[in-house]
Amino acid sequence: MGESENQRNPNHHHVIIIPPPFQGHINPSIQLALKLASKGFTITFVNTHSTHDQITKSRPKISDDIFGPARDSGRDIRYITISDGFPLSFDRSLNREQFMEGRMHVYPAHVDELVGQLAGSDPRPDCLVSDTISTWGYGIAAKYGLVYVSFWTQPALVFSMYSHTHLLKINGHYGSIDNRKDTIDYIPGVEAIEPKDLSSFLHETDTSKAIHRVIPKAFAEAKKADFIIFNAMEELEPEPISTLKKTLPVYPVGPLFPHHFANPSIQMNLWSESDCSKWLETKPSGSVLYASFGSYAHSSKRDIETIAKGLMLSGVYFIWVLRPDVVSSEVKDVLPDGFQENVGDRGIVVNWCKQNSVLSNCGVGGFLTHCGWNSILESLWAGKPMVCFPLLGDQTSNRKLVVDDWRVGINLCEEGRLVSCDDVAERVKFLMSGESSFELRKNVELIRKKMENALSENGSSEVNFDKFVEDMKVRIEDTKVRRNYDRQLI
């Protein structure tokens, strides 16, 4: 009989990390990989061929060895790409429902094949980390005898709501032809919440779409995980997190930021970046509004035009990130005629930029955001208050945290609809005025200090991360012993 795994490599642990192909999930997954590698783990980071193709097109000079700089600093991170079941030419932005179905029913076979191959390699993987919204993580980990870690990249509030959709259905707040509109006060760990503040997916009365099968399946898998790590922190969401920890192995370890916040060493941007630094240098401190609606959600052409007119009327300086597919990959001209000529040098519109760098610039005084979770955390870390324009998914719940709970932002919508262009202008001017937004800025600074404390050596998130690492090592070793024992019985 050959040597057991423990005899061959008593201290070696190999973790596979597989994020979904969305920027808001890829970015924290990169930071998780780097953080685990700094603790001595071997990491295999997996993207889809399509994601990698987008990354390389956005930065033509980038090496295929994306984690090369990390290995140069002594961290063992390997990089692999696999098929998502669709050809590269398939328009994933335009055909989202078909793509979601493929991620549920086709993509898992490609993941299974890869994990099976890695299971026969050296070092053999010990742990699989997949995003909580994936529907296959636990099953594949169990098949190959791996520890399973579910990685949640949104607020604890949203995890609480998604993990209790059965209660929402029983009470008629979700999944009905006519969902109830009264206050929801029965979700464990969540204070009374209005239906409008649920994830946008839970507002829908048509539950035949793929997402309504993804959510229950994904959270059933998450509840079987050995560990659930949150890109969130206890100080910002104490009640949801403490309640979840009573029944689930939850470790809040966020926010997961790059070591050099404004200039990360490892980047996987899906869009070509514009350098806004020289333009920003010419603008007074705190005078520029940064606007971005993220990498995935779509807006309507009408709303884009309303915001554009509001920015023209506001008179403020701005940088506006508008992806080419922000309305649709089939709709290219989304701004009003003569927009750039009207604003002149007062504003620039780009497809993408280094968001952390822009937010960190002293010229930027506020953020018009779609309320993606990464964007919120980055804005708070950079000390910028927000004006909120949520579009999809968790963003409606995130808005509640920003505006109602933490009081670090204001609304750009009323009753679920964007305000008029005149009101856009007034709210932008309110945010950008140091006097009117004084309370917002003071609250942002208080939260920034909480984040700093959580990420300090003895802070809650660092302590939780160290405990997660130690607990995972123990679970890995226990799993190896069981695997060796089972092998001996065969």
Side-chain angles (χ1 to χ4, degrees), residues 169-304:
K169 277 191 172 183
I170 289 170
N171 285 278
H173 282 108
Y174 163 61
S176 303
I177 295 175
D178 185 19
N179 291 333
R180 284 171 56 182
K181 302 296 191 294
D182 57 325
T183 302
I184 298 164
D185 59 2
Y186 48 81
I187 302 298
V190 178
E191 289 188 27
I193 186 171
E194 300 304 318
K196 68 181 177 61
D197 295 323
L198 295 175
S199 159
S200 71
F201 300 131
L202 302 182
H203 298 172
E204 297 174 1
T205 55
D206 177 8
T207 57
S208 64
K209 294 180 181 178
I211 189 64
H212 299 285
R213 280 169 279 126
V214 167
I215 291 171
K217 182 168 176 53
F219 279 82
E221 293 255 315
K223 290 173 182 178
K224 299 175 189 174
D226 296 288
F227 306 98
I228 307 171
I229 52 176
F230 280 14
N231 187 26
M233 52 182 275
E234 295 181 14
E235 289 82 353
L236 291 186
E237 298 182 275
E239 286 303 316
I241 288 175
S242 62
T243 302
L244 288 166
K245 288 174 76 171
K246 292 175 183 177
T247 56
L248 294 170
V250 168
Y251 296 73
V253 300
L256 290 167
F257 287 145
H259 182 64
H260 298 290
F261 179 76
N263 190 27
S265 59
I266 308 296
Q267 298 183 64
M268 296 186 186
N269 291 313
L270 303 180
W271 303 93
S272 297
E273 295 176 336
S274 296
D275 184 356
C276 304
S277 58
K278 290 185 178 179
W279 184 86
L280 277 167
E281 288 173 2
T282 66
K283 303 300 179 276
S285 177
S287 66
V288 178
L289 176 75
Y290 172 62
S292 175
F293 306 146
S295 63
Y296 181 74
H298 289 160
S299 178
S300 70
K301 190 173 188 294
R302 178 179 178 179
D303 282 353
I304 297 294

Side-chain angles (χ1 to χ4, degrees), residues 343-371:
V343 298
D345 187 53
R346 188 165 59 79
I348 56 175
V349 179
V350 297
N351 289 342
W352 201 249
C353 71
K354 291 184 178 180
Q355 179 162 292
N356 289 9
S357 177
V358 170
L359 285 172
S360 300
N361 191 288
C362 64
V364 172
F367 186 7
L368 196 169
T369 175
H370 68 306
C371 294

Side-chain angles (χ1 to χ4, degrees), residues 358-423:
V358 170
L359 285 172
S360 300
N361 191 288
C362 64
V364 172
F367 186 7
L368 196 169
T369 175
H370 68 306
C371 294
W373 186 233
N374 284 339
S375 289
I376 288 171
L377 294 176
E378 289 160 4
S379 191
L380 292 170
W381 186 255
K384 306 300 190 286
M386 290 160 269
V387 56
C388 297
F389 177 53
L391 294 170
L392 184 71
D394 62 307
Q395 295 161 17
T396 46
S397 301
N398 301 350
R399 181 222 62 84
K400 175 188 182 299
L401 294 172
V402 170
V403 177
D404 302 338
D405 297 359
W406 304 335
R407 301 187 183 281
V408 292
I410 59 174
N411 292 317
L412 202 62
C413 297
E414 297 293 345
E415 298 182 354
R417 294 184 179 181
L418 178 66
V419 297
S420 69
C421 60
D422 289 329
D423 282 338

Side-chain angles (χ1 to χ4, degrees), residues 109-163:
H110 296 281
V111 176
D112 191 319
E113 181 181 14
L114 171 67
V115 175
Q117 291 170 356
L118 292 173
S121 66
D122 185 27
R124 188 190 195 279
D126 301 296
C127 172
L128 174 64
V129 179
S130 71
D131 196 286
T132 303
I133 66 165
S134 300
T135 57
W136 39 260
Y138 173 78
I140 292 177
K143 178 178 179 179
Y144 294 101
L146 308 181
V147 171
Y148 176 50
V149 178
S150 178
F151 183 25
W152 180 243
T153 57
Q154 297 172 26
L157 169 66
V158 179
F159 188 100
S160 297
M161 305 310 292
Y162 280 158
S163 59

